[in-house]
Amino acid sequence: MAVDPIPADLLYRACDLKQFTFETTADLEDLPGLVGQERAVEALRFGTSIHRHGYNIFVLGPEGAGKHEAVLGFLANLAVRQKAPSDWAYVNNFRSPNKPIVLEMAAGSARGLKEGMARLIDDFKISVPALLESEEYQNRRQSIEEEYRERQEKAFEELRMNAEAESIALLRTPSGFALAPIHHGDGHEGEVLKPDEFNKLPEAERKRIETTIQALQKELADILEHIPAWEKEHRDRVTKLNREIAERLIEQSMRDLRQRFDTMPAVRDWLAAVAADLVDNIGIFAGQGDQQQQQVTIALQAMAQGQPLPFGALNPFRRYEVNVIVENNNVPRSVGTSPWKAHMEPDTGGYIGGGAPIVYEDHPTLQSLVGRVEHLPQMGALITDFMLIKGGSLHRANGGYLVLDALKILREPLSWDALKRTLRRRKIVIESPGEFLSLVSTVSLEPEPIPLDLKVILLGDRYLYYMLSNLDPEFSQLFKVAADFEDEIDREAENDLLYARLLAGMCRKEELLPLDRSGVGRVIERASRLAEDAEKITTAMWPIEDLLREADFVARSESKACISARHVDAAIEAQIARADRMRERSLEMITRDIVMIDTEGAVAGQVNGLSVLSMGAVSFGRPSRITARVRMGMGAARVLDIEREVDLGGPIHSKGVLILSGYLSATFLPEIPFSMSASLVFEQSYGGVDGDSASSAELYALISALAEMPITQALAVTGSVNQLGEVQAIGGVNDKIEGFFDICMRRGLTGDQGVLIPAANVKHLMLRQDVVDAVERGMFAIYPIERIEDGVELLMGCPAGERGPDGTFPQGSVYARAEARLAAFAENQRRFAQRADENGKK
């Protein structure tokens, strides 16, 4: 049955401008969200509403579908109605300084604690020295000192008097105390006897003096033995005085701060520990006091011995500071660097969120996710403390939402596993890459983990989602919600108007000229072409945004007030021209007969197949000559795929070749085994070939070679085929048709040229206007093919033939000739085998 070409009005679906009642998009309101993404939005709503472990969200869809903007806009509207989460701060652990304590505080209160502690320490630096110089303190301290001195002096005075009564002197020397005899009643009374004078004394006197001195030395030793206890008692009394004064001062100074945080148990307990530590170390506030000097001395000694510096050694006041790592308030701004202006606020580095934080992490390294502990060089050593703990995006997003690009986090070493660990154990543990890989041994901190309560939203394409689902067992347990964005939406009147509102919002956001009705219609038509479907509109918005910007440039260069269809067309042509070098070179090689493609005449076993070359964002159709050769084979029929034999054919292409072999074996000689050897090849193809869109063309070439019927070279073919002979839809139909049309146009249209496409692809046609015009003038034709037999008749100018009641094809038909040749192959093979048997017997 003859196939009629497709009418020109079905080759391009123009947008009905009568459905629009606006003059320009400036008359339209912005569209909140995207068109046709109800399923994805409902998944986002479910994932953000369910508060169960593992219900994080993976947003999947094509690049440029507006996933980022849709997610961020959805979260912004949701977060503004939520309560701001807690503030978090790290503070000193006075008992174990290497294990800093984390404090959870009400939103917006962390800064108050930090500033309150800073004021408290500054006040102590003034008030403590003033208090220690006060008259009350000095009098009480002096009383203690005097009592201590009097006690010592009284003991030594009693000893001195006892010694003098025995003519013994108590002497104070640089090395301590000494007892020595003195002159008595000889004119030198009171002077110490010299050794030679002592030796001249009578023996009895010498023995008396020695005995007396021994008794006095015992008394002296007893006094010296009691001195440390008296000193300790003195120090204890001074300490008690200092503590009494310090406790009174600290209680007064910290009263307001304690009352402010009395409802926060963790802060309340820490402030109590601060008060106790201040009492113990009140001396460090006394200017250049002994306690401060002692700490610096200890630090210098430790460094000299190559040991890590003690905590806060060089700055004893640092121990009382507060390291705020997360600060929220009642109306916080989201954190992160975002490339989407729709939610940006000038000079903030983030977009307006709401009560809950929304963090987009553009560079998800391990440390940017979970935080880090920094080290600083001081006097030749690396030191760290709780003030050098830095939070990550997980800290900032805690209580809200963390948005990540799946591919980016998978590219960062250690980040993916760290994220899973954090979500699995529901707390943030700061990890160092060096320590994790055992590359460094620097003494570091062990900060207390922070409980985690947030939703993680990963953004990626479908391939990445399904790959993670198959290869990572933990993925499905941690990301249980999939928000699948549509690649395209139905092109209907309601969606056309919604799309116009979407374009209006883009123009306002980018500060572009508005589009008039013709401009909107042409953009919708372009969106259908990008979707490769006249009944659909692509949801990939980045190409559309680029088109609007470039059309705006054209319109402004002409000093126009709005963007019309003419400006959109000019922008499209400019886009194509900028990326058209490879297509032009391809056309040139064909028109110069370097690459052999015939567009006239007829050749048996040769057909023009169509393929699409993609190079980055550019794709174009390119004809390829496909040839087939057949001969009698030995044994079972075999179709040799030359592309596959040389490893240039992909698996899908090889599958297509096997399918057409199945069609041949089921169509011809159903009762007789036939033997055929055939070869198929893409001529002048030097790269890989994959896909089954050329399988129908290859089948036509094989049938032509079998039937020895020439195929017209004025027609090109695309479409895959199944074993039943049905021609199936393929992709890139518009590029393929235009690729062959351009060759024919350059060589001159004859009116006989055209393309055979699957009938199922008719609804996908959105061809260039020059192609539509040529079809309308009858200079080019596009034929919808449903079965291989229809294409055989068009290509070979003769009916394929249908097997009749007698089991044979009509005489003279293409299939009758093909089957006759196959039968001849089978008979020749039988005779050849018989002769071989006879020769073997001889």
Side-chain angles (χ1 to χ4, degrees):
M1 184 177 72
V3 178
D4 294 327
I6 302 171
D9 58 354
L10 296 182
L11 302 182
Y12 187 88
R13 181 182 173 185
C15 184
D16 182 11
L17 302 184
K18 295 179 181 178
Q19 64 182 321
F20 299 138
T21 58
F22 58 87
E23 292 298 324
T24 71
T25 54
D27 303 332
L28 299 176
E29 295 180 356
D30 291 358
L31 180 68
L34 294 178
V35 182
Q37 300 294 356
E38 290 80 9
R39 180 188 291 107
V41 172
E42 182 58 34
L44 285 172
R45 186 175 293 111
F46 168 75
T48 53
S49 300
I50 184 169
H51 299 289
R52 297 290 181 179
H53 178 60
Y55 281 88
N56 298 293
I57 306 169
F58 193 107
V59 179
L60 59 151
E63 286 296 325
K67 301 189 297 293
H68 293 78
E69 281 196 347
V71 169
L72 296 174
F74 176 86
L75 294 178
N77 293 329
L78 181 66
V80 74
R81 300 189 297 271
Q82 296 179 340
K83 180 182 177 181
S86 302
D87 288 356
W88 295 92
Y90 276 105
V91 293
N92 179 31
N93 184 342
F94 298 103
R95 293 184 177 179
S96 300
N98 66 319
K99 296 181 179 180
I101 298 171
V102 69
L103 299 181
E104 180 179 7
M105 290 163 277
S109 60
R111 183 170 294 275
L113 179 63
K114 180 181 179 70
E115 293 175 351
M117 286 300 301
R119 286 194 299 269
L120 180 69
I121 299 305
D122 289 341
D123 291 344
F124 280 171
K125 291 178 182 179
I126 298 173
S127 60
V128 170
L131 182 62
L132 297 180
E133 294 174 2
S134 66
E135 183 177 355
E136 176 191 1
Y137 177 81
Q138 291 296 331
N139 290 338
R140 295 180 64 180
R141 178 70 179 266
Q142 185 175 358
S143 175
I144 295 172
E145 297 292 344
E146 288 177 354
E147 289 181 15
Y148 171 66
R149 286 195 301 270
E150 288 177 359
R151 190 172 190 177
Q152 285 195 51
E153 290 174 358
K154 181 179 179 181
F156 284 111
E157 181 62 23
E158 290 178 356
L159 177 62
R160 185 185 64 76
M161 292 177 64
N162 293 338
E164 287 182 354
E166 300 292 338
S167 299
I168 304 296
L170 177 64
L171 305 177
R172 189 182 296 268
T173 68
S175 59
F177 292 94
L179 294 168
I182 58 177
H183 289 280
H184 183 68
D186 57 357
H188 297 282
E189 188 172 356
E191 294 182 5
V192 176
L193 287 174
K194 296 181 180 178
D196 56 344
E197 293 175 337
F198 176 77
N199 292 332
K200 294 177 181 180
L201 293 174
E203 182 178 354
E205 182 65 16
R206 292 200 307 270
K207 288 183 178 180
R208 185 191 68 78
I209 292 174
E210 290 174 353
T211 301
T212 302
I213 289 177
Q214 288 178 355
L216 292 173
Q217 284 178 338
K218 185 177 180 181
E219 290 183 32
L220 176 60
D222 187 60
I223 293 173
L224 294 176
E225 185 178 345
H226 282 82
I227 286 178
W230 297 341
E231 289 180 351
K232 181 178 183 303
E233 183 180 350
H234 167 258
R235 289 196 302 270
D236 290 345
R237 293 183 65 187
V238 173
T239 301
K240 183 178 179 181
L241 172 62
N242 289 340
R243 290 182 67 89
E244 179 185 341
I245 298 296
E247 287 173 354
R248 188 170 60 192
L249 174 63
I250 291 168
E251 178 63 27
Q252 294 173 352
S253 301
M254 295 187 68
R255 183 180 294 117
D256 292 342
L257 196 60
R258 282 182 166 183
Q259 289 178 353
R260 181 175 177 183
F261 294 94
D262 188 59
T263 58
M264 304 176 194
V267 182
R268 185 178 62 219
D269 294 344
W270 182 73
L271 288 175
V274 168
D277 191 77
L278 284 170
V279 170
D280 293 337
N281 297 279
I282 197 68
I284 65 176
F285 295 94
Q288 297 297 321
D290 295 339
Q291 200 163 357
Q292 187 173 2
Q293 289 291 343
Q294 184 180 6
Q295 291 199 13
V296 175
T297 302
I298 293 173
L300 296 176
Q301 291 174 351
M303 292 172 56
Q305 298 171 6
Q307 299 176 359
L309 281 176
F311 173 82
L314 301 181
N315 182 5
F317 306 115
R318 188 176 173 93
R319 63 198 292 118
Y320 305 113
E321 294 183 16
V322 178
N323 180 12
V324 179
I325 62 169
V326 176
E327 183 179 6
N328 294 298
N329 51 46
N330 293 328
V331 187
R333 290 181 176 86
S334 300
V335 182
T337 54
S338 172
W340 303 284
K341 287 185 178 180
H343 308 287
M344 290 292 289
E345 185 180 50
D347 302 324
T348 64
Y351 49 90
I352 296 177
I358 307 169
V359 178
Y360 171 73
E361 181 55 65
D362 188 52
H363 189 201
T365 63
L366 174 64
Q367 293 185 326
S368 65
L369 281 176
V370 302
R372 64 191 184 278
V373 177
E374 296 180 341
H375 291 74
L376 293 177
Q378 282 195 10
M379 302 177 68
L382 287 177
I383 66 169
T384 187
D385 61 25
F386 71 94
M387 290 300 295
L388 294 178
I389 299 173
K390 306 299 180 183
S393 52
L394 283 166
H395 295 90
R396 297 190 297 273
N398 202 9
Y401 308 94
L402 175 61
V403 183
L404 299 167
D405 282 302
L407 186 59
K408 289 182 179 179
I409 190 172
L410 288 171
R411 284 174 173 169
E412 293 294 336
L414 309 177
S415 293
W416 176 243
D417 287 335
L419 177 64
K420 291 190 296 180
R421 278 195 302 274
T422 303
L423 294 176
R424 189 172 58 248
R425 57 196 179 192
R426 305 184 211 182
K427 58 184 179 181
I428 309 171
V429 179
I430 296 178
E431 301 174 352
S432 167
E435 293 178 1
F436 187 82
L437 298 173
S438 299
L439 298 178
V440 296
S441 58
T442 304
V443 176
S444 189
L445 304 180
E446 298 177 21
E448 187 177 356
I450 293 180
L452 182 69
D453 179 20
L454 86 168
K455 290 287 184 179
V456 176
I457 297 94
L458 287 181
L459 306 172
D461 58 30
R462 293 189 179 91
Y463 175 79
L464 197 56
Y465 173 79
Y466 293 117
M467 183 183 70
L468 288 171
S469 299
N470 292 330
L471 300 180
D472 191 337
E474 294 179 309
F475 175 74
S476 298
Q477 296 301 315
L478 296 175
F479 292 88
K480 297 183 179 182
V481 180
D484 195 351
F485 272 62
E486 296 286 352
D487 299 69
E488 52 198 27
I489 60 173
D490 293 333
R491 183 177 168 186
E492 51 192 26
E494 180 181 359
N495 284 344
D496 283 356
L497 182 57
L498 293 176
Y499 205 82
R501 291 177 59 190
L502 186 63
L503 297 178
M506 288 183 186
C507 290
R508 292 191 184 97
K509 180 185 72 173
E510 295 287 336
E511 298 181 353
L512 306 176
L513 294 175
L515 291 97
D516 64 13
R517 285 179 290 181
S518 69
V520 171
R522 192 55 50 87
V523 172
I524 291 176
E525 293 163 8
R526 182 60 178 174
S528 285
R529 172 61 188 257
L530 293 175
E532 296 187 356
D533 193 332
E535 299 175 358
K536 301 287 184 180
I537 304 174
T538 182
T539 60
M541 302 314 299
W542 284 358
I544 300 300
E545 289 180 353
D546 290 343
L547 179 60
L548 291 181
R549 296 185 190 103
E550 294 169 26
D552 172 82
F553 174 80
V554 175
R556 289 181 187 274
S557 66
E558 297 179 2
S559 300
K560 299 297 183 181
C562 60
I563 302 171
S564 65
R566 181 169 58 83
H567 303 130
V568 176
D569 287 338
I572 294 172
E573 291 173 3
Q575 286 180 342
I576 295 173
R578 289 194 299 270
D580 210 27
R581 188 184 70 85
M582 293 304 298
R583 188 183 74 93
E584 284 291 334
R585 296 292 80 77
S586 176
L587 289 174
E588 180 182 341
M589 292 179 72
I590 294 174
T591 54
R592 294 176 61 195
D593 294 328
I594 298 172
V595 174
M596 293 184 290
I597 299 292
D598 293 333
T599 54
E600 296 183 50
V603 181
Q606 177 178 303
V607 67
N608 291 323
L610 298 173
S611 60
V612 175
L613 295 183
S614 295
M615 299 180 180
V618 179
S619 61
F620 57 90
R622 183 177 183 272
S624 297
R625 174 181 289 181
I626 301 173
T627 59
R629 291 293 179 264
V630 298
R631 57 162 292 165
M632 182 188 75
M634 297 299 294
R638 178 171 182 259
V639 177
L640 178 67
D641 180 8
I642 294 178
E643 307 295 334
R644 179 183 179 184
E645 293 296 320
V646 296
D647 294 329
L648 288 179
I652 299 178
H653 176 261
S654 299
K655 176 185 176 183
V657 173
L658 294 175
I659 288 174
L660 63 89
S661 300
Y663 173 80
L664 289 175
S665 61
T667 303
F668 300 110
L669 299 179
E671 304 295 334
I672 303 174
F674 67 94
S675 176
M676 175 192 70
S677 177
S679 62
L680 284 169
V681 68
F682 279 72
E683 303 289 353
Q684 293 184 286
S685 171
Y686 307 107
V689 176
D690 202 4
D692 62 351
S693 64
S695 58
S696 64
E698 292 171 321
L699 182 54
Y700 292 137
L702 275 175
I703 295 173
S704 170
L706 275 173
E708 297 181 316
M709 295 281 290
I711 293 177
T712 176
Q713 302 299 295
L715 298 176
V717 177
T718 186
S720 68
V721 65
N722 61 26
Q723 291 190 112
L724 303 177
E726 297 169 331
V727 179
Q728 303 167 136
I730 44 82
V733 63
N734 292 291
D735 288 329
K736 292 175 178 179
I737 292 172
E738 291 168 358
F740 188 68
F741 174 82
D742 289 337
I743 296 297
C744 297
M745 186 72 178
R746 292 202 174 193
R747 289 179 172 173
L749 296 174
T750 64
D752 297 325
Q753 295 145 336
V755 176
L756 279 62
I757 67 170
N761 279 122
V762 173
K763 61 178 68 72
H764 301 148
L765 295 177
M766 288 292 293
L767 293 168
R768 292 195 321 246
Q769 189 60 43
D770 56 345
V771 181
V772 176
D773 292 342
V775 171
E776 193 170 14
R777 297 196 314 269
M779 302 301 294
F780 196 78
I782 301 169
Y783 298 94
I785 306 300
E786 294 184 356
R787 295 190 55 82
I788 284 294
E789 294 81 4
D790 300 331
V792 166
E793 183 171 349
L794 277 171
L795 291 170
M796 302 178 198
C798 181
E802 184 176 352
R803 198 177 295 277
D806 59 352
T808 62
F809 290 107
Q811 189 69 24
S813 66
V814 175
Y815 280 13
R817 297 183 59 163
E819 189 169 62
R821 194 170 184 202
L822 285 171
F825 285 163
E827 178 62 22
N828 290 338
Q829 182 189 17
R830 185 187 65 78
R831 292 177 181 176
F832 181 81
Q834 183 178 7
R835 287 198 301 270
D837 288 343
E838 292 174 354
N839 292 333
K841 291 178 181 180
K842 294 179 180 179

